[in-house]
Amino acid sequence: LAIVFTQLSILAFGGGNAILPEMQHQVVEVHHWLSAEQFSSYFAMAQAAPGPNMMIVSLIGWHVAGPAGLIVTSIAKFAPSSILTIYALKFWQRFQDHPYRARFEKALKPITVGLVLASAYMIAEVSTYNLLLVALVVIAAALSFFKNLHPLWVMAFGAISGIFLL
């Protein structure tokens, strides 16, 4: 657990959701700690709960090794990236006026968006096992993208739709 989540922590460039495909690969396909459906359910629970959006890490740790797993995965996921961020910020501030900084930021945006979209696709793929669920995902994505609704309203729409339609 410590090795897997430390590696994921260091790779979490662009936010925690950017590493979801690799986390799913490690947890489901490599180590078989969870099924794809369990991973998707844990992700949904973590997103619905207040607090950091990467609470899935703690849920996985709890599932695999109880309270000790929760502690190990949480420290392994959050400590390395936090330390790296502190040092990167100091370095980043030193080159605040350098012309390559703006180019670097511009180059990173599509990479980050791509990683987040890959995460969304991976979660949607596991969660949509019939046409009605596919339609709900498409509608929820459209509401989020075109109507600029708060994510809680979109989640409420999905939950209410799931209750009445499934």
Side-chain angles (χ1 to χ4, degrees), residues 2 11 20-21 23-24 37 39 45 49 52-53 63 65-66 74 79 81 113 121 132 135 141 158-159 164 166:
L11 292 174
L20 274 176
M23 184 186 308
Q24 193 265 355
E37 292 78 19
F39 185 88
M45 285 190 293
N53 70 343
H63 177 84
S74 297
S81 59
V113 169
Y121 176 78
L132 185 57
F164 290 111
L166 299 176

Side-chain angles (χ1 to χ4, degrees), residues 85-101:
T85 299
I86 290 167
Y87 285 106
L89 182 61
K90 290 179 182 182
F91 179 79
W92 199 245
Q93 288 173 337
R94 215 175 347 152
F95 293 99
Q96 187 170 0
D97 297 324
H98 198 280
Y100 286 131
R101 179 178 164 169

Side-chain angles (χ1 to χ4, degrees), residues 47-64:
Q47 294 300 298
N53 70 343
M54 278 286 100
M55 285 179 55
I56 185 174
V57 169
S58 303
L59 292 172
I60 293 168
W62 182 274
H63 177 84
V64 173

